[in-house]
Amino acid sequence: MTNRVLVVDDDAAVRAALGQTLELADCDAITVGSFVAAKDLITPDFDGVILSDMRMPGRDGFHLLRYVREVDGDLPVILLTGEGDIPMAVQAMGEGAFDFLEKPCASVDLMAVVRRALKTRALVRENRALKSRLESGDPAARMIFGTSPQMEELRARARGVAATGAEVLVTGAPGGGISKVAEVIHLMSPRGQGAFVKRPAAGLTPDGFADLCREAAGGSLYLDEIAALPSETQYAMLEALEQGLEARVLVGSVADLAEEAAQGRFLPDLFYRLDVMRVRIPALSERPEDIPVLFSHYVAQAAEQAGIAAPDIPQEHLAALMAQDWPGNARSLMSAAMRFVLGMPEEAAQSAELGLAEQLAQVERSLLIAALGRQNGHASAAAKALKLPRKTFYDKLARYGIRPEDYRR
């Protein structure tokens, strides 16, 4: 998250005090004495927030606020006001100021507002980066959402397997977008201009499979929930793959196909043939940092579908979303976004009813799981990534009933 704060105040002593307070709170403070000095730093690419005095000689805080709103309407401006300036500050809030603080201001109050503004700015920039990728990137960038390292790895993996002609097994939790990832692989492959034929595997007969292969000739055939493929069709599919097909075969499964084969519920030879290239989609519980960006994207999407303006999303609401496990993954988050747009945000409301300690515990649990997911279930590496002593890390795992082996792949 960004930590840059541009301080604008004509009083050198106040500037120095504000800068010191911000630096002690691990912020990167840039201090200037006038609007003229600040102007060149205020751009749409500025990754921080602005803290400005209301009354300054020449161009005052109102002028600065209006200039910022013209340059970037999403850049937070916090105004510092004297006792007699409060009506002006309230008016400035109506014109788009992020917040105002009355001087003299306690450090704890200042930093609470600054941190909230920095979180808001970081979310805006993440959303813009996501939108840019959606508009200008390849299918992996446009269709696979998330800014976490796990999703960057997933996009790279999809690009890598797309270039091959091998069969691909896409796995993940329910609601994780398995069929979408399969389509991305098709679109980025040499067969991307051909047909993408998508069918459920359940109930598919050998003749039906042969018909689908002819329909997908020159393109890709995707079979959803391959574990449900009837046994006689499994044999027919294996034989067809060994003889060669005109269509590339992609399959998806939320079930552990290796376990299904070990238990005799799936043809082992077919499993080994399909498992040439495996792509695993990480669950939302492994990457809670993606939730705010994804939810904001889904809210904008849902509002457009509903034909209404996208509502603002309070930081408290996003924190409550991050405190949930989301067993339904992206699909359930999309549904929550639609309910939020329609005024029915029950999941976050339920989380918000929890006390602060309970909400923080849920967020901590999510971050522990995310670290284990990133480190392939290796607890020592996850503890190091979180900068925690190993004993503390293991104590936390025990407290939340988290088993590292569940996140090895």
Side-chain angles (χ1 to χ4, degrees):
M1 186 180 77
T2 179
N3 67 345
R4 189 171 302 181
V5 183
L6 173 59
V7 178
V8 188
D9 198 306
D10 62 307
D11 188 318
V14 172
R15 282 201 312 275
L18 289 172
Q20 184 178 40
T21 298
L22 291 165
E23 294 287 353
L24 289 172
D26 294 325
C27 288
D28 180 9
I30 306 169
T31 59
V32 298
S34 67
F35 164 77
V36 173
K39 183 177 179 181
D40 290 341
L41 300 173
I42 301 171
T43 69
D45 294 328
F46 181 64
D47 63 354
V49 301
I50 299 173
L51 177 64
S52 173
D53 190 18
M54 177 69 81
R55 291 189 181 275
M56 294 182 290
R59 307 291 190 177
D60 61 9
F62 261 120
H63 184 88
L64 180 143
L65 173 63
R66 289 163 185 160
Y67 179 80
V68 170
R69 297 292 293 173
E70 290 178 2
V71 172
D72 183 350
D74 294 319
L75 177 51
V77 177
I78 304 165
L79 293 172
L80 293 170
T81 69
E83 183 178 352
D85 297 333
I86 292 180
M88 294 172 60
V90 172
Q91 179 185 344
M93 292 285 288
E95 294 188 21
F98 183 82
D99 208 338
F100 70 90
L101 293 163
E102 187 176 359
K103 297 186 293 185
C105 178
S107 297
V108 64
D109 296 330
L110 171 67
M111 291 314 306
V113 175
V114 167
R115 289 193 180 96
R116 186 160 51 87
L118 288 169
K119 288 180 181 178
T120 299
R121 185 59 174 169
L123 183 59
V124 165
R125 287 176 56 80
E126 287 171 358
N127 283 334
R128 288 178 178 175
L130 177 60
K131 183 177 180 181
S132 176
R133 284 197 296 273
L134 292 175
E135 291 175 347
S136 61
D138 61 17
R142 294 197 308 270
M143 297 171 66
I144 299 177
F145 303 142
T147 58
S148 64
Q150 297 97 313
M151 296 309 282
E152 293 291 354
E153 182 181 336
L154 175 60
R155 281 187 282 269
R157 178 68 174 164
R159 293 181 181 111
V161 303
T164 73
E167 291 76 36
V168 179
L169 169 61
V170 185
T171 66
I178 291 175
S179 63
K180 179 181 287 188
V181 171
E183 186 176 2
V184 166
I185 293 169
H186 161 72
L187 291 172
M188 299 187 68
S189 74
R191 297 172 176 265
Q193 298 301 313
F196 178 70
V197 178
K198 172 184 171 181
R199 294 290 188 279
L204 185 63
T205 66
D207 288 344
F209 174 73
D211 290 341
L212 291 177
C213 289
R214 286 190 287 271
E215 184 181 345
S220 301
L221 170 60
Y222 170 70
L223 296 181
D224 199 27
E225 295 304 336
I226 192 64
L229 190 69
S231 58
E232 64 272 18
T233 312
Q234 293 180 31
Y235 284 100
M237 183 176 181
L238 177 60
E239 183 179 356
L241 288 171
E242 289 178 345
Q243 291 178 354
L245 292 172
E246 291 299 318
R248 183 182 190 180
V249 174
L250 313 173
V251 300
S253 180
V254 298
D256 184 341
L257 212 57
E259 179 65 20
E260 293 294 304
Q263 296 297 323
R265 294 188 293 266
F266 195 83
L267 185 62
D269 286 348
L270 179 58
F271 163 66
Y272 296 129
R273 179 64 189 253
L274 295 174
D275 199 34
V276 173
M277 293 285 178
R278 185 185 298 193
V279 177
R280 177 184 175 273
I281 304 172
L284 269 181
S285 61
E286 299 174 43
R287 48 189 180 95
E289 63 268 43
D290 279 338
I291 291 174
V293 175
L294 288 176
F295 187 76
S296 299
H297 173 72
Y298 293 148
V299 163
Q301 200 173 58
E304 183 177 353
Q305 291 173 357
I308 59 179
D312 292 332
I313 309 172
Q315 288 294 324
E316 296 80 5
H317 189 85
L318 293 173
L321 293 175
M322 290 181 68
Q324 298 178 54
D325 285 336
W326 298 104
N329 291 284
R331 188 169 298 161
S332 59
L333 192 63
M334 290 174 69
S335 298
M338 177 60 80
R339 289 192 290 272
F340 178 82
V341 168
L342 298 177
M344 301 179 291
E346 69 274 8
E347 290 93 348
Q350 290 167 2
S351 287
E353 290 174 0
L354 299 174
L356 177 61
E358 290 87 349
Q359 291 190 52
L360 289 174
Q362 289 186 0
V363 172
E364 182 177 55
R365 181 177 181 276
S366 295
L367 293 173
L368 291 168
I369 290 172
L372 284 169
R374 282 194 294 269
Q375 302 300 331
N376 197 20
H378 296 297
S380 297
K384 184 177 180 181
L386 291 175
K387 297 180 174 62
L388 287 175
R390 289 181 63 185
K391 183 180 184 305
T392 302
F393 183 77
Y394 280 105
D395 287 345
K396 290 180 182 294
L397 294 185
R399 182 190 311 163
Y400 295 117
I402 300 171
R403 303 188 314 164
E405 58 266 27
D406 291 341
Y407 302 94
R408 292 179 187 145
R409 49 186 195 276

